[in-house]
Amino acid sequence: MEQPAEGTDRTRPLQAVTGATNLLSRVGLPSARVDAEILAAHVLGVPRGRLALVDGFTGERLAEFDALVARRAAGEPVQHLVGSAGFRHLELAVGPGVFVPRPETELLAGWAITLISPGSTVVDLCGGSGAIALAVANEVPGALVYAVERAPAALPWLRRNAEERARAGDTPIHVVEGDVTDPAVLAEFDGRVDAVLCNPPYVPAGVAVPADVADHDPRDAVFAGEDGLAVIRPVIARAAALLRPGGIFAVEHDDSHGMVVPALLRADGHFTDIEDHRDLAGRWRYATATRTRGVGSEHRRER
Ligand SMILES: C[S@@+](CC[C@H](N)C(=O)[O-])C[C@H]1O[C@@H](n2cnc3c(N)ncnc32)[C@H](O)[C@@H]1O
């Protein structure tokens, strides 16, 4: 715990957090209080839950906090300001050039993690920071995990997080530089993969997104053609090819696609057990399916 030096005038953290919350609320940030607490905890070097217990900001630390709050008010994501984002049990390095992992994707990862057996082969198409791939490596003992990413700006973040988690003792993942729509990528695994997981770009071009997404998430991580399905369509075909019979597939999608993506999976003809799932806000968010067990049997099974 920080001790106040005798005679110094320190601002109590919660007092500073309240001021920052008011400022961030005035600019319309819905997560004002949480953001202010995260920034205060970052500057003071304590967990968020201990803010009430520490003694306070020195003048220098308070200036640092105020500067971060001003940058947050101007739209910079709080995760960029502190340099990391939480995802399930992990803290992942993020910053300009890489998509900040979102809580809704934790649900997709969690769905898969409960079903994946130890030692399974898992492919994360559209790796980004490595959120899904590294969560699987962290939670499924001995999983052989591949993460495919094409963006030159995202790959260093992915590699950095992969190295950090391997140093922390998780099974190392394999980073593959490539285009997830290219049938040659990981083709050597076709028919042998136990789980294909994917959080692709999926927002239809022209749809307005919040300013922090528009200004700070890479465009290629967010938008996917006129209808938002430009990556999902080929990814469904790649999942069908990669998966072994009985292997599982999960793909995140735009909340307007809760009917469309399951329909694409049915139309593909290689999947059964097709379902869509809601996120914590009740919006349709990801589709799941199982690779059929034999050519020709899939249509009989679904009738
Ligand atoms: C929405 S982000 C998801 C990142 C991470 N899986 C997560 O959930 O936080 C999509 C990622 O896919 C990458 N991407 C987009 N199109 C791709 C493609 N055709 N091939 C490989 N990666 C692609 C983007 O660069 C971005 O990192």
Side-chain angles (χ1 to χ4, degrees):
M1 187 193 296
E2 285 211 351
Q3 298 300 324
E6 222 168 289
T8 53
D9 182 19
R10 290 188 170 215
T11 304
R12 310 268 331 153
L14 294 185
Q15 186 187 334
V17 163
T18 302
T21 303
N22 293 339
L23 176 79
L24 297 177
S25 298
R26 279 201 298 280
V27 299
L29 290 173
S31 54
R33 175 85 195 182
V34 173
D35 290 359
E37 287 181 3
I38 291 172
L39 294 177
H42 172 70
V43 170
L44 291 172
V46 296
R48 215 176 113 204
R50 293 189 62 82
L51 275 176
L53 305 174
V54 290
D55 289 313
F57 286 100
T58 58
E60 197 182 334
R61 292 256 171 103
L62 186 61
E64 195 185 330
F65 175 65
D66 288 345
L68 288 175
V69 171
R71 287 169 64 187
R72 180 70 194 114
E76 275 186 67
V78 71
Q79 296 87 349
H80 283 199
L81 296 173
V82 302
S84 68
F87 190 84
R88 291 184 65 85
H89 306 294
L90 307 178
E91 217 30 67
L92 300 169
V94 293
V98 74
F99 183 83
V100 172
R102 303 297 207 273
E104 49 268 33
T105 309
E106 293 179 311
L107 301 177
L108 180 156
W111 174 88
I113 284 164
T114 58
L115 295 172
I116 298 170
S117 308
S120 292
T121 300
V122 179
V123 173
D124 173 8
L125 297 176
C126 293
S129 64
I132 298 173
L134 292 169
V136 171
N138 178 246
E139 296 181 59
V140 180
L144 179 62
V145 183
Y146 292 81
V148 183
E149 172 60 54
R150 127 185 121 169
L155 278 160
W157 293 103
L158 176 53
R159 292 199 173 103
R160 172 176 163 184
N161 284 320
E163 282 160 17
E164 210 148 289
R165 288 313 311 164
R167 265 198 304 276
D170 290 351
T171 309
I173 69 161
H174 302 268
V175 173
V176 179
E177 180 172 0
D179 184 335
V180 298
T181 69
D182 179 355
V185 170
L186 292 178
E188 65 276 26
F189 286 96
D190 279 3
R192 293 167 42 202
V193 173
D194 299 294
V196 173
L197 310 175
C198 180
N199 177 18
Y202 53 67
V203 178
V207 166
V209 291
D212 53 348
V213 177
D215 296 342
H216 296 282
D217 279 316
R219 275 194 77 75
D220 282 356
V222 176
F223 296 101
E226 284 302 303
D227 60 3
L229 297 164
V231 178
I232 289 182
R233 277 198 196 86
V235 155
I236 288 175
R238 279 308 292 139
L242 283 164
L243 287 168
R244 64 165 171 80
I248 58 169
F249 176 50
V251 61
E252 193 167 310
H253 59 66
D254 189 69
D255 58 0
S256 65
H257 289 155
M259 302 286 278
V260 175
V261 172
L264 288 174
L265 285 162
R266 279 190 293 277
D268 176 82
H270 295 97
F271 294 97
T272 184
D273 305 329
I274 298 164
E275 284 179 40
D276 212 76
H277 306 253
R278 294 180 194 266
D279 61 22
L280 295 172
R283 295 169 299 213
W284 296 112
R285 184 55 67 205
Y286 66 102
T288 59
T290 304
R291 178 71 166 86
T292 47
R293 289 183 184 276
V295 176
S297 65
E298 56 265 37
H299 301 295
R300 285 195 299 281
R301 287 167 62 90
E302 281 176 42
R303 255 183 230 134

